[in-house]
Amino acid sequence: MAPDTAVSTLTSSTDRSAVAPYDALLLFSFGGPDGPDDVLPFLRNVTRGKNIPDERLAVVAEHYHHFGGASPINGQNLALQKALTEELARRGLDLPVVWGNRNWEPYTRDALSAAYSDGARRMVAVVTSAYSSYSGCRQYRENLWASLDELGADVGLGEGEHPLVVDKVRSYFNHPGFVQANVDAVTEAFASIDRDARLVFVTHSIPDTMEEASQVSGASYSAQHLDVARTVAAAVEERLGRPVTWDLAYCSRSGPPSQPWLDPDVNDHLAALAADGVEAVVLSPIGFVSDHMEVAFDLDTEALATAAELGMVAVRADSVGTREPFVRGLVDLVLERAALAREADATGAHPVTADLVADAAARPVAEATAGDLPPYRSVCRPGCCQMRAGEPTGIPAACSTDPWS
């Protein structure tokens, strides 16, 4: 890990009271290859334990080789790290921002090790996935637990002993900052097309079994997206001063054809819209935080090509990236999580108790939302976000009331 790209240290701010008890912020992401030689090793990391042969991985590898073998996600994470650092500094908050990935350098363990060496003992994590599901929540928490195990072994602790405490902000799909940034991006896309168009929100598909399991969190993965889509579309309608018709479609499915995944696929959906006489579409990657490979290939390459073949006018709205409302909202979430941690430390109550209060006004910490769904938990309930409902993976996960369930 290169410290100059993985760790950002604030130099001008001095106030830690608002971010206490945290010593550092972990920007926790998926990762991606930096060049052609990295692609296959990266894909092996992503699919470890699934017994997928290199021949099948080579097909996916072509998506990356289409862009020179480098994923745009790493540069986008660096930009987000810089934006978070600047927003913290603007508010006078002293909190170093550390970047770590599940699947490629800088790895989570290296980021945690760097922060630990710099004196951090309690950290807050922001995952670059807004929604709650196995892929977007628990899989990151499993990686975090394993990384803390490795760091504990590195510093001479016993099995299961962790030298760092890492909390996470809640799933933020319905936080006003994320929603506002998407409203702005979609409105700009409509302005660029300057005509009536169908709005198609797009997210990463998941297996039906994972969709069912995601309901333990409160609302299923698809229901979370539908709530955001309704909220964004309503705000865009108000901005434009005219009705906006919208749909939710999916991309990036994998796995055997016999395994049901969420649909419709965005390309199939475009064909169905064209058959119904729709002539123009705005594609909004509402399921993604940045324009990484799934957006660059599945939407900018494949979906736009499909639209062109169908004779449709199509534009793609930006992802939230480093838009100011999104970055501001992430810092708000860090402050919210810090206040919840201080409340729990002061009262001796587990922070999850805040999520058990039905009346939002009675919660110990204000938790802003947009849409109809309540704020999600920052400490996951038992059985949350399994790969399959009621079937624990047998892998412990951090940030949970019960790491094993």
Side-chain angles (χ1 to χ4, degrees), residues 26-32 42 46 73-74 77 99-104 106-109 112 125-149 162 166-169 171-172 204 210 221 287-290 292 294 380 384-387 393 395-400 403:
L26 172 65
L27 180 61
F28 194 9
S29 195
F30 190 84
F42 162 75
V46 173
I73 195 171
N74 295 328
N77 280 328
W99 165 39
N101 297 319
R102 271 174 38 202
N103 298 299
W104 201 249
Y107 289 106
T108 317
R109 169 183 168 176
L112 296 177
V126 171
V127 177
T128 58
S129 176
Y131 298 85
S132 182
S133 70
Y134 177 75
S135 296
C137 178
R138 186 179 179 94
Q139 199 165 16
Y140 282 95
R141 296 188 293 108
E142 289 176 350
N143 177 256
L144 180 56
W145 186 281
S147 299
L148 290 169
D149 274 351
H162 297 164
V166 183
D167 301 326
K168 64 179 280 292
V169 305
S171 295
Y172 49 81
H204 202 302
M210 196 181 296
Y221 176 80
F288 304 96
V289 167
S290 67
H292 50 65
E294 282 83 353
C380 294
C384 175
C385 289
Q386 296 287 357
M387 190 179 298
T393 61
I395 303 171
C399 310
S400 175

Side-chain angles (χ1 to χ4, degrees), residues 32-268:
D34 291 309
D37 293 341
D38 298 335
V39 174
L40 195 55
F42 162 75
L43 292 174
R44 289 173 183 146
N45 283 346
V46 173
T47 60
R48 183 175 287 116
K50 297 182 180 179
N51 299 315
I52 298 177
D54 282 356
E55 292 77 14
R56 283 181 60 190
L57 295 181
V59 176
V60 180
E62 287 306 310
H63 297 187
Y64 291 90
H65 292 307
H66 183 82
F67 296 92
S71 171
I73 195 171
N74 295 328
Q76 291 159 11
N77 280 328
L78 281 169
L80 182 56
Q81 180 189 31
K82 181 175 182 288
L84 285 168
T85 299
E86 291 173 348
E87 176 63 15
L88 287 161
R90 187 187 67 80
R91 301 195 199 188
L93 300 171
D94 184 6
L95 196 67
V97 182
V98 181
W99 165 39
N101 297 319
R102 271 174 38 202
N103 298 299
W104 201 249
E105 299 173 348
Y107 289 106
T108 317
R109 169 183 168 176
D110 297 328
L112 296 177
S113 179
Y116 182 79
S117 296
D118 286 342
R121 295 298 180 267
R122 190 167 181 180
M123 300 175 64
V124 60
V126 171
V127 177
T128 58
S129 176
Y131 298 85
S132 182
S133 70
Y134 177 75
S135 296
C137 178
R138 186 179 179 94
Q139 199 165 16
Y140 282 95
R141 296 188 293 108
E142 289 176 350
N143 177 256
L144 180 56
W145 186 281
S147 299
L148 290 169
D149 274 351
E150 293 172 1
L151 180 59
D154 289 346
V155 300
L157 297 181
E159 184 177 353
E161 294 182 307
H162 297 164
L164 275 169
V165 173
V166 183
D167 301 326
K168 64 179 280 292
V169 305
R170 59 183 163 100
S171 295
Y172 49 81
F173 64 91
N174 62 345
H175 189 273
F178 180 74
V179 171
Q180 185 63 59
N182 275 294
V183 170
D184 293 345
V186 172
T187 303
E188 291 166 11
F190 270 99
S192 72
I193 201 171
D194 195 28
R195 60 178 293 176
D196 287 337
R198 185 73 155 253
L199 175 55
V200 180
F201 294 105
V202 187
T203 190
H204 202 302
S205 186
I206 61 172
D208 286 3
T209 51
M210 196 181 296
E211 158 77 359
E212 179 187 2
S214 68
Q215 296 182 61
V216 174
S217 303
S220 71
Y221 176 80
S222 62
Q224 295 165 40
H225 283 81
L226 289 169
D227 185 58
V228 177
R230 278 191 296 269
T231 307
V232 171
V236 172
E237 279 190 349
E238 187 172 349
R239 291 262 194 101
L240 297 178
R242 64 176 187 269
V244 172
T245 305
W246 62 271
D247 311 285
L248 176 65
Y250 299 88
C251 68
S252 310
R253 77 149 288 159
S254 59
S258 59
Q259 183 182 42
W261 283 53
L262 295 178
D263 55 22
D265 173 78
V266 62
N267 297 285
D268 295 338

